[in-house]
Short mmCIF file of all heavy atoms in Angstrom, two decimals:
data_model
loop_
_atom_site.label_atom_id
_atom_site.label_comp_id
_atom_site.label_asym_id
_atom_site.label_seq_id
_atom_site.Cartn_x
_atom_site.Cartn_y
_atom_site.Cartn_z
N PHE A 26 -13.85 12.97 13.29
CA PHE A 26 -12.46 13.09 12.88
C PHE A 26 -12.05 11.77 12.24
O PHE A 26 -12.57 10.72 12.59
CB PHE A 26 -11.54 13.32 14.10
CG PHE A 26 -11.72 14.64 14.76
CD1 PHE A 26 -12.71 14.84 15.70
CD2 PHE A 26 -10.87 15.69 14.45
CE1 PHE A 26 -12.87 16.06 16.33
CE2 PHE A 26 -11.02 16.92 15.08
CZ PHE A 26 -12.02 17.10 16.02
N THR A 27 -11.10 11.84 11.32
CA THR A 27 -10.49 10.63 10.78
C THR A 27 -9.05 10.59 11.28
O THR A 27 -8.27 11.50 11.04
CB THR A 27 -10.52 10.61 9.25
OG1 THR A 27 -11.87 10.64 8.82
CG2 THR A 27 -9.85 9.35 8.71
N THR A 28 -8.74 9.53 11.99
CA THR A 28 -7.39 9.30 12.49
C THR A 28 -6.75 8.26 11.59
O THR A 28 -7.38 7.25 11.26
CB THR A 28 -7.45 8.79 13.95
OG1 THR A 28 -8.07 9.80 14.75
CG2 THR A 28 -6.06 8.50 14.49
N ARG A 29 -5.50 8.52 11.18
CA ARG A 29 -4.84 7.62 10.22
C ARG A 29 -3.55 7.05 10.79
O ARG A 29 -2.81 7.72 11.49
CB ARG A 29 -4.48 8.39 8.95
CG ARG A 29 -5.67 8.94 8.24
CD ARG A 29 -5.27 9.53 6.91
NE ARG A 29 -4.07 10.32 6.93
CZ ARG A 29 -3.99 11.55 6.44
NH1 ARG A 29 -5.03 12.13 5.90
NH2 ARG A 29 -2.85 12.20 6.46
N LEU A 30 -3.31 5.82 10.43
CA LEU A 30 -2.03 5.16 10.64
C LEU A 30 -1.65 4.65 9.26
O LEU A 30 -2.29 3.73 8.73
CB LEU A 30 -2.16 4.00 11.63
CG LEU A 30 -0.92 3.15 11.87
CD1 LEU A 30 0.18 3.98 12.54
CD2 LEU A 30 -1.26 1.94 12.71
N GLU A 31 -0.65 5.27 8.64
CA GLU A 31 -0.34 4.96 7.24
C GLU A 31 1.08 4.42 7.08
O GLU A 31 2.01 4.93 7.69
CB GLU A 31 -0.50 6.20 6.37
CG GLU A 31 -1.93 6.62 6.19
CD GLU A 31 -2.10 7.65 5.10
OE1 GLU A 31 -1.63 7.42 3.98
OE2 GLU A 31 -2.71 8.68 5.38
N GLY A 32 1.19 3.40 6.26
CA GLY A 32 2.49 2.92 5.85
C GLY A 32 3.27 2.14 6.89
O GLY A 32 4.50 2.10 6.85
N LEU A 33 2.56 1.49 7.81
CA LEU A 33 3.23 0.66 8.82
C LEU A 33 3.81 -0.57 8.13
O LEU A 33 3.08 -1.39 7.59
CB LEU A 33 2.23 0.25 9.91
CG LEU A 33 2.75 -0.67 11.01
CD1 LEU A 33 3.88 0.00 11.78
CD2 LEU A 33 1.61 -1.05 11.95
N SER A 34 5.12 -0.68 8.13
CA SER A 34 5.80 -1.78 7.45
C SER A 34 6.13 -2.86 8.47
O SER A 34 6.83 -2.60 9.45
CB SER A 34 7.08 -1.25 6.79
OG SER A 34 7.72 -2.26 6.06
N LEU A 35 5.62 -4.07 8.22
CA LEU A 35 5.76 -5.18 9.17
C LEU A 35 6.36 -6.40 8.49
O LEU A 35 5.91 -6.78 7.42
CB LEU A 35 4.38 -5.61 9.68
CG LEU A 35 3.50 -4.60 10.35
CD1 LEU A 35 2.08 -5.12 10.42
CD2 LEU A 35 4.03 -4.33 11.73
N PRO A 36 7.33 -7.05 9.13
CA PRO A 36 7.70 -8.37 8.66
C PRO A 36 6.74 -9.37 9.30
O PRO A 36 6.52 -9.34 10.51
CB PRO A 36 9.12 -8.55 9.22
CG PRO A 36 9.15 -7.70 10.44
CD PRO A 36 8.18 -6.56 10.21
N MET A 37 6.11 -10.18 8.49
CA MET A 37 5.14 -11.13 9.05
C MET A 37 5.02 -12.36 8.16
O MET A 37 5.41 -12.35 7.00
CB MET A 37 3.79 -10.47 9.28
CG MET A 37 3.07 -10.03 8.03
SD MET A 37 1.45 -9.30 8.37
CE MET A 37 0.52 -10.72 8.92
N ARG A 38 4.41 -13.38 8.74
CA ARG A 38 4.15 -14.61 8.00
C ARG A 38 2.74 -14.53 7.44
O ARG A 38 1.77 -14.51 8.18
CB ARG A 38 4.32 -15.82 8.92
CG ARG A 38 5.75 -16.01 9.36
CD ARG A 38 5.93 -17.30 10.14
NE ARG A 38 7.33 -17.55 10.37
CZ ARG A 38 8.16 -18.16 9.51
NH1 ARG A 38 7.72 -18.58 8.36
NH2 ARG A 38 9.42 -18.35 9.82
N ILE A 39 2.67 -14.48 6.11
CA ILE A 39 1.37 -14.37 5.45
C ILE A 39 1.49 -14.94 4.04
O ILE A 39 2.52 -14.77 3.38
CB ILE A 39 0.88 -12.90 5.42
CG1 ILE A 39 -0.57 -12.81 4.95
CG2 ILE A 39 1.80 -12.01 4.61
CD1 ILE A 39 -1.22 -11.46 5.20
N GLY A 40 0.46 -15.66 3.63
CA GLY A 40 0.43 -16.17 2.26
C GLY A 40 0.29 -17.67 2.20
O GLY A 40 0.39 -18.37 3.21
N ILE A 41 0.06 -18.17 0.98
CA ILE A 41 -0.20 -19.59 0.77
C ILE A 41 0.85 -20.28 -0.09
O ILE A 41 0.89 -21.50 -0.15
CB ILE A 41 -1.59 -19.81 0.14
CG1 ILE A 41 -1.69 -19.10 -1.20
CG2 ILE A 41 -2.69 -19.36 1.11
CD1 ILE A 41 -2.89 -19.49 -2.04
N HIS A 42 1.70 -19.51 -0.75
CA HIS A 42 2.70 -20.09 -1.65
C HIS A 42 3.91 -20.59 -0.85
O HIS A 42 4.18 -20.08 0.24
CB HIS A 42 3.12 -19.07 -2.71
CG HIS A 42 1.96 -18.61 -3.54
ND1 HIS A 42 1.31 -19.45 -4.42
CD2 HIS A 42 1.32 -17.43 -3.60
CE1 HIS A 42 0.32 -18.79 -5.00
NE2 HIS A 42 0.30 -17.56 -4.51
N PRO A 43 4.62 -21.60 -1.36
CA PRO A 43 5.75 -22.17 -0.62
C PRO A 43 6.75 -21.14 -0.09
O PRO A 43 7.18 -21.22 1.06
CB PRO A 43 6.40 -23.12 -1.64
CG PRO A 43 5.25 -23.56 -2.50
CD PRO A 43 4.37 -22.34 -2.62
N ALA A 44 7.12 -20.16 -0.90
CA ALA A 44 8.07 -19.14 -0.45
C ALA A 44 7.49 -18.31 0.70
O ALA A 44 8.20 -17.88 1.61
CB ALA A 44 8.47 -18.24 -1.61
N GLU A 45 6.17 -18.09 0.67
CA GLU A 45 5.51 -17.31 1.72
C GLU A 45 5.40 -18.12 3.02
O GLU A 45 5.41 -17.56 4.11
CB GLU A 45 4.12 -16.86 1.28
CG GLU A 45 4.15 -15.90 0.11
CD GLU A 45 2.78 -15.55 -0.38
OE1 GLU A 45 1.97 -16.47 -0.65
OE2 GLU A 45 2.47 -14.34 -0.48
N LEU A 46 5.27 -19.42 2.88
CA LEU A 46 5.19 -20.29 4.05
C LEU A 46 6.56 -20.47 4.70
O LEU A 46 6.65 -20.78 5.89
CB LEU A 46 4.60 -21.64 3.66
CG LEU A 46 3.15 -21.62 3.18
CD1 LEU A 46 2.76 -22.96 2.59
CD2 LEU A 46 2.21 -21.21 4.30
N ALA A 47 7.62 -20.28 3.93
CA ALA A 47 8.97 -20.55 4.42
C ALA A 47 9.56 -19.42 5.25
O ALA A 47 10.41 -19.66 6.10
CB ALA A 47 9.88 -20.85 3.23
N ALA A 48 9.14 -18.20 4.99
CA ALA A 48 9.79 -17.07 5.67
C ALA A 48 8.85 -15.87 5.75
O ALA A 48 7.94 -15.73 4.94
CB ALA A 48 11.05 -16.68 4.91
N PRO A 49 9.08 -15.01 6.73
CA PRO A 49 8.28 -13.78 6.81
C PRO A 49 8.50 -12.90 5.58
O PRO A 49 9.54 -12.99 4.91
CB PRO A 49 8.82 -13.08 8.07
CG PRO A 49 9.52 -14.12 8.83
CD PRO A 49 10.03 -15.11 7.83
N GLN A 50 7.55 -12.06 5.30
CA GLN A 50 7.68 -11.09 4.22
C GLN A 50 7.18 -9.75 4.70
O GLN A 50 6.49 -9.64 5.71
CB GLN A 50 6.92 -11.55 2.98
CG GLN A 50 5.40 -11.62 3.18
CD GLN A 50 4.71 -12.07 1.93
OE1 GLN A 50 4.74 -11.39 0.91
NE2 GLN A 50 4.07 -13.23 2.01
N ARG A 51 7.50 -8.73 3.95
CA ARG A 51 7.09 -7.38 4.31
C ARG A 51 5.64 -7.14 3.89
O ARG A 51 5.24 -7.45 2.77
CB ARG A 51 8.01 -6.38 3.62
CG ARG A 51 7.75 -4.94 3.99
CD ARG A 51 8.89 -4.06 3.50
NE ARG A 51 9.04 -4.15 2.06
CZ ARG A 51 8.93 -3.10 1.22
NH1 ARG A 51 8.67 -1.90 1.69
NH2 ARG A 51 9.09 -3.27 -0.07
N VAL A 52 4.88 -6.58 4.82
CA VAL A 52 3.50 -6.18 4.56
C VAL A 52 3.37 -4.72 5.02
O VAL A 52 3.88 -4.36 6.08
CB VAL A 52 2.48 -7.06 5.31
CG1 VAL A 52 1.07 -6.55 5.13
CG2 VAL A 52 2.60 -8.50 4.83
N ILE A 53 2.73 -3.91 4.21
CA ILE A 53 2.52 -2.51 4.55
C ILE A 53 1.04 -2.32 4.85
O ILE A 53 0.18 -2.66 4.04
CB ILE A 53 2.97 -1.58 3.42
CG1 ILE A 53 4.47 -1.80 3.16
CG2 ILE A 53 2.68 -0.12 3.77
CD1 ILE A 53 5.00 -1.10 1.95
#
Side-chain angles (χ1 to χ4, degrees):
F26 291 84
T27 299
T28 299
R29 298 187 317 231
L30 176 66
E31 290 192 52
L33 177 61
S34 184
L35 303 165
M37 66 179 291
R38 293 186 171 275
I39 190 167
I41 59 167
H42 300 292
E45 295 176 308
L46 295 170
Q50 65 180 296
R51 184 168 59 120
V52 175
I53 300 171

